[in-house]
């Protein structure tokens, strides 16, 4: 990287002049200017004190360079020429400095409560020279009419609406500080206003030496990347230097790249995302929990890159890959060629997940696994509905979830699984995720909360196996899942387990939990199973035969509940869950009679 950048201290005056002339502009991925009035004053205070305000990161830009971004001028700048430099880091600081210290227009900023305001900035000469006063308190921001009012506008605290009133109040306008002619004229008129009083002359000479000269000669360190810097390096460098702000995403870089060809990627994505929400929400009121609400703009680009690279490999090209550098090489032509297919792949993925009884984003085990799933479905199209193919997709999906394979860095796994799944479907060997997936029986005990992918997955398998609510016997499909406020609850209630001093590792594990409607859970309360079952029957909620059947659909031996026999219940249900897991993954679960399993559960699980 040493040969692709240079570093030097650059006068702020040169930078501001180049911003005004349009030689320095912003790439389109930079966010809008957002600094409030107090933050601008704090920045100006640092400059007047010659304090450092941080380095800037520039990128040389030309039509002959490797990178082509859409660009735009700084807020407040009027030039329309082509830039020679794009600012990668320092937009907020330089926009604030440019508007407060250079532009002749009122600065469009905001209050701490985000109310839009317009301000001019002044230096209180006397306060600047008083060493007992913090410099920020010598910086005055005034409204656009340059009159500060109080008492709901009835009283005037400061009026500097014309030049004589500036002189009268010893207020120096900051937006002329880099204009030597304007500064000289202001000084001459100021001294003339006071009839060249020696005290005023001395005070202003000190003001020039201690305040104006340091501002006018202020420099900032600038690191400039060459125009030959690769796009992925620009992204990485931006993330490294912008640790205090929001990281630059691949999507934002691609937005600026495609904009150079007059394609508005952000608008295109927003339309597609709206469709994702509409297609995957269970109801209008449920849109925040729509399964596809977790798909990010970068996820979408990653999926398109995967699909493109799959077809490249299919035609004898490079291996499938979707790392950041691969996504950044995606062309607009390829995006437009595959975006609709990938979009349909995600929509089909949402339908597939509903079939697996995963209805909302809250219950989605891995959002990351959606990416290869969508690409696989985009490749297969209608073939994915064939029973034998759907079974293979289901096995792969559950191996990913229950084997907890998608919890880390996933780009390599995405690529391996897309190619591997299509090969397997076409008669080849199993993909890597299926080969490597393994469920350790002891994991049942450590699955204590819904934060785990495997926990969410097992709950979905219980739903998929056809469990019915204990009381009304309704199936927990997507038509009633949210309407009935379905959630996960203890079978042997917590209060009862604690009163019996049952090991929390067991009673709070997934083995002692099941999906139930909210009303049913309220009726159960904290009573032992034998009591809440009798209560359900006594209140004519459901007769005994039906109640026993409804409970059995949760892979629970109802006799163990009626006898409050937690130990037998726990072993039997553990075995049932292991059986569900093995069937879902399409492979037997091993180590069921290991010594550690027998010790922890009280019996082997085979």
């Amino acid at each position: 990287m040493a040969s692709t950048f240079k570093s030097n201290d650059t006068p702020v005056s040169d930078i501001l002049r180049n911003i005004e002339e349009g030689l320095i502009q912003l790439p389109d991925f930079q966010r809008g200017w957002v600094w409030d009035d107090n933050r601008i004053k704090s920045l100006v205070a640092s400059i007047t004190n010659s304090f450092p305000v941080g380095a800037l990161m520039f990128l040389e830009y030309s039509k002959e360079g490797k990178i082509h971004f859409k660009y735009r001028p700084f807020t407040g700048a009027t030039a329309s020429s082509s830039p020679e430099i794009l600012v990668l880091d320092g937009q907020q600081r330089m926009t604030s400095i440019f508007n407060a210290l250079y532009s002749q227009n009122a600065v469009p900023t905001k209050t701490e409560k985000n109310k839009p305001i317009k301000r001019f900035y002044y230096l209180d000469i006397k306060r600047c020279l008083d060493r007992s006063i913090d410099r920020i308190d010598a910086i005055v921001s005034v409204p656009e009419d340059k009159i500060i009012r109080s008492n709901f506008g009835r009283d005037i605290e400061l009026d500097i609406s014309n030049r004589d009133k500036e002189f009268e109040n010893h207020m120096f306008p900051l937006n002329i500080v880099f204009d030597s002619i304007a500064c000289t004229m202001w000084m001459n008129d100021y001294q003339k206003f006071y009839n060249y009083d020696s005290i005023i002359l001395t005070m202003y000479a000190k003001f020039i030496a201690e305040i104006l000269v340091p501002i006018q000669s202020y420099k900032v360190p600038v690191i400039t990347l060459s125009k030959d810097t690769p796009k992925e390096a620009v992204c990485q460098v931006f993330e490294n230097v912008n640790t205090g702000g929001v990281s630059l995403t691949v999507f934002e870089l691609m937005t600026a790249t495609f904009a150079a060809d007059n394609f508005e990627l952000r608008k295109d994505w927003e339309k597609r995302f709206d469709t994702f929400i509409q297609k995957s929400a269970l109801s209008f009121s449920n849109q925040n929990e729509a399964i596809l609400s977790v798909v990010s703009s970068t996820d979408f680009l990653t999926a398109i890159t995967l699909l493109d690279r799959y077809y490249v490999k299919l035609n004898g090209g490079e291996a499938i890959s979707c790392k950041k550098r691969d996504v950044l090489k995606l062309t607009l032509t390829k995006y437009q060629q595959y975006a609709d297919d990938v979009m349909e792949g995600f929509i089909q993925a949402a339908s597939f997940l509903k079939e697996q009884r995963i209805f909302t984003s809250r219950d989605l085990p891995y959002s990351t696994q959606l990416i290869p799933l969508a690409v696989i479905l985009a490749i297969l199209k209608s073939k994915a509905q064939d029973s034998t193919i759907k079974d293979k997709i289901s096995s792969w999906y559950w191996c990913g979830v229950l084997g907890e394979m998608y919890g880390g860095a996933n780009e390599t796994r995405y690529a391996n699984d897309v190619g591997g799944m299509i090969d397997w479907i076409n008669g080849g060997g199993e993909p890597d995720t299926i080969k490597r997936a393994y469920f350790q029986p002891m994991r049942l005990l450590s699955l204590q909360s819904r934060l785990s992918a495997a926990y969410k997955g097992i709950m979905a398998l219980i739903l998929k196996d056809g469990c019915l609510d204990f009381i009304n016997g309704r199936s927990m499909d997507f038509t009633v899942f949210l309407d009935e406020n379905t959630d996960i609850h203890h079978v042997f209630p917590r209060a009862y387990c604690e009163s019996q001093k049952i090991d929390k590792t067991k009673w709070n594990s997934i083995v002692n939990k099941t999906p139930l409607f909210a009303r049913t859970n309220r009726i159960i309360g904290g009573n032992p199973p034998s009591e809440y079952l009798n209560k359900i029957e006594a209140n004519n909620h459901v007769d005994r035969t039906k109640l026993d059947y409804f409970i059995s659909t949760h892979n629970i031996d109802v006799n163990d509940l009626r006898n409050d026999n937690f130990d037998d219940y726990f072993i039997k249900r553990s075995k049932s869950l292991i059986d569900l897991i093995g069937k879902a993954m399409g492979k037997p679960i091993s180590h069921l009679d290991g010594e550690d399993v027998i010790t922890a559960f009280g019996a082997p699980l085979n």
Side-chain angles (χ1 to χ4, degrees):
M1 195 70 187
S3 62
T4 60
F5 75 91
K6 56 187 177 183
S7 178
N8 63 286
D9 288 346
T10 304
V12 164
S13 57
D14 292 349
I15 296 173
L16 296 178
R17 183 173 59 255
N18 287 332
I19 287 174
E20 175 62 23
E21 294 175 358
L23 298 178
I24 296 179
Q25 296 193 38
L26 296 166
D28 200 47
F29 58 71
Q30 287 282 32
R31 284 86 174 172
W33 183 47
V34 296
W35 276 18
D36 63 40
D37 180 50
N38 285 333
R39 197 167 184 186
I40 294 172
K41 289 196 291 186
S42 179
L43 177 65
V44 172
S46 294
I47 293 173
T48 65
N49 280 315
S50 297
F51 295 162
V53 296
L56 306 179
M57 179 75 70
F58 289 175
L59 171 68
E60 292 178 346
Y61 192 74
S62 73
K63 293 181 179 178
E64 293 74 33
K66 290 184 177 181
I67 300 176
H68 296 284
F69 291 140
K70 185 178 180 181
Y71 46 81
R72 57 182 170 83
F74 276 72
T75 300
T78 57
S80 58
S81 59
S82 298
E84 296 177 359
I85 293 291
L86 296 181
V87 176
L88 296 182
D89 186 50
Q91 176 207 2
Q92 302 290 337
R93 285 168 286 160
M94 291 315 303
T95 305
S96 298
I97 294 170
F98 177 79
N99 280 272
L101 276 64
Y102 201 92
S103 173
Q104 298 306 296
N105 299 316
V107 181
T109 181
K110 60 184 180 180
T111 66
E112 289 182 321
K113 295 183 178 181
N114 288 323
K115 178 184 177 182
I117 55 175
K118 290 187 176 182
R119 289 290 186 266
F120 286 102
Y121 293 87
Y122 282 80
L123 291 177
D124 185 321
I125 296 173
K126 288 186 175 181
R127 294 175 73 85
C128 280
L129 298 175
D130 187 341
R131 297 184 183 276
S132 68
I133 295 176
D134 288 341
R135 184 57 50 78
I136 194 170
D137 294 325
I139 298 166
V140 180
S141 74
V142 298
E144 194 170 13
D145 64 2
K146 300 184 179 180
I147 300 174
I148 297 178
R149 297 175 172 86
S150 61
N151 193 20
F152 301 99
R154 289 190 287 267
D155 299 331
I156 294 178
E157 291 189 2
L158 177 65
D159 182 352
I160 49 177
S161 57
N162 59 46
R163 187 53 51 96
D164 283 352
K165 289 179 179 178
E166 290 176 354
F167 301 152
E168 181 182 339
N169 290 282
H170 306 283
M171 291 289 177
F172 177 85
L174 268 167
N175 62 0
I176 67 170
V177 69
F178 288 107
D179 186 334
S180 59
I181 295 176
C183 276
T184 300
M185 292 178 65
W186 195 94
M187 176 187 70
N188 291 338
D189 291 344
Y190 176 62
Q191 294 172 343
K192 181 180 179 181
F193 182 83
Y194 286 100
N195 296 316
Y196 303 101
D197 181 275
S198 60
I199 295 176
I200 294 296
L201 293 177
T202 301
M203 181 177 69
Y204 196 77
K206 190 176 181 183
F207 177 70
I208 291 175
E210 295 185 9
I211 308 298
L212 294 189
V213 170
I215 296 175
Q216 292 161 348
S217 59
Y218 190 82
K219 294 182 179 181
V220 290
V222 175
I223 300 170
T224 304
L225 305 181
S226 79
K227 60 186 178 184
D228 295 322
T229 304
K231 196 184 299 180
E232 60 266 27
V234 172
C235 190
Q236 186 62 53
V237 168
F238 187 95
E239 291 178 358
N240 291 340
V241 302
N242 196 40
T243 54
V246 181
S247 294
L248 174 69
T249 67
V250 168
F251 178 80
E252 286 163 320
L253 271 175
M254 297 306 293
T255 296
T257 302
F258 289 175
D261 293 321
N262 296 315
F263 182 82
E264 298 187 51
L265 178 60
R266 189 174 301 281
K267 285 188 177 180
D268 184 75
W269 161 246
E270 288 171 352
K271 289 179 182 178
R272 295 180 187 279
F273 186 73
D274 286 345
T275 302
F276 282 170
I277 299 300
Q278 294 168 15
K279 294 286 187 179
S280 65
L282 298 186
S283 65
F284 181 80
S285 60
N286 168 249
Q287 293 194 20
N288 289 336
E289 291 191 10
I291 291 176
L292 296 183
S293 66
V294 301
V295 180
S296 72
S297 52
T298 299
D299 292 339
F300 190 64
L301 289 177
T302 300
I304 292 175
T305 303
L306 270 172
L307 184 59
D308 174 40
R309 293 297 291 270
Y310 168 79
Y311 286 123
V312 168
K313 183 177 183 294
L314 194 64
N315 292 314
E318 297 177 326
I320 304 172
S321 179
C322 63
K323 295 184 182 298
K324 183 183 294 183
R325 64 175 179 269
D326 302 307
V327 180
L328 290 169
K329 292 176 183 176
L330 185 68
T331 65
L332 177 57
T333 300
K334 291 292 188 180
Y335 176 87
Q336 292 175 317
Q337 180 179 352
Y338 294 125
D340 287 346
D341 288 344
V342 169
M343 181 176 172
E344 184 59 27
F346 275 108
I347 293 170
Q348 292 306 314
S351 296
F352 168 83
L353 291 171
K354 287 179 182 178
E355 291 180 18
Q356 309 305 313
R357 295 302 187 268
I358 299 168
F359 300 126
T360 70
S361 58
R362 182 185 67 162
D363 300 310
L364 183 64
Y366 287 121
S367 61
T368 49
Q369 201 173 358
L370 269 172
I371 295 173
L373 175 59
V375 175
I376 290 165
L377 295 173
I379 294 169
L380 294 172
K381 294 185 170 61
S382 61
K383 286 179 62 178
Q385 301 305 314
D386 295 352
S387 177
T388 53
I389 293 176
K390 186 179 286 190
D391 287 346
K392 287 187 173 182
I393 296 173
S394 180
S395 293
W396 164 79
Y397 180 77
W398 287 113
C399 281
V401 171
L402 300 167
E404 298 179 279
M405 306 292 283
Y406 273 85
N410 295 301
E411 290 88 352
T412 300
R413 184 161 300 283
Y414 296 162
N416 289 341
D417 277 354
V418 167
M421 275 298 293
I422 302 303
D423 288 345
W424 186 39
I425 287 168
N426 290 330
E430 293 176 338
D432 182 74
T433 290
I434 289 184
K435 289 178 183 177
R436 294 179 180 274
Y438 173 71
F439 186 85
Q440 163 60 256
M442 292 289 291
R443 186 74 174 108
L444 287 177
L445 296 177
S446 60
L447 293 174
Q448 300 271 322
S449 77
R450 70 185 332 136
L451 296 177
S452 163
Y455 183 102
K456 295 177 182 180
I458 291 171
M459 278 300 147
L461 291 180
I462 294 171
L463 289 169
K464 187 181 179 184
D465 198 45
C467 68
L468 307 174
D469 183 68
F470 284 7
I471 292 178
N472 68 17
R474 294 181 72 184
S475 175
M476 298 182 191
D477 60 21
F478 68 90
T479 60
V480 298
F481 185 80
L482 289 181
D483 290 342
E484 296 288 351
N485 292 317
T486 308
D487 208 346
I488 300 166
H489 302 287
H490 293 95
V491 178
F492 278 72
R494 172 177 180 166
Y496 169 75
C497 291
E498 289 179 335
S499 70
Q500 298 300 304
K501 300 188 181 329
I502 297 172
D503 183 357
K504 184 178 180 180
T505 303
K506 289 185 175 181
W507 69 253
N508 198 45
S509 75
I510 197 167
V511 180
N512 189 40
K513 294 176 183 177
T514 207
L516 292 172
F517 293 162
R519 174 174 175 266
T520 299
N521 185 59
R522 288 193 297 271
I523 292 172
I524 287 175
N527 302 310
S530 60
E531 289 187 18
Y532 72 65
L533 293 182
N534 287 334
K535 180 180 178 182
I536 290 172
E537 293 170 14
N539 292 335
N540 295 316
H541 291 298
V542 61
D543 66 46
R544 185 185 183 95
T545 301
K546 285 186 176 180
L547 177 59
D548 288 355
Y549 173 68
F550 295 160
I551 292 172
S552 71
T553 64
H554 290 252
N555 292 280
I556 294 171
D557 187 323
V558 69
N559 290 323
D560 293 333
L561 265 61
R562 293 193 180 280
N563 295 315
D564 297 328
N565 189 337
F566 180 86
D567 289 339
D568 284 356
Y569 153 80
F570 195 80
I571 290 294
K572 292 174 186 176
R573 194 155 196 255
S574 295
K575 291 180 178 180
S576 294
L577 295 184
I578 288 291
D579 186 53
L580 283 180
I581 292 166
K583 288 178 179 177
M585 296 176 70
K587 54 167 55 178
I589 307 302
S590 60
H591 196 64
L592 296 176
D593 56 356
E595 186 175 336
D596 56 339
V597 173
I598 295 173
T599 300
F601 286 84
L605 298 182
N606 52 10

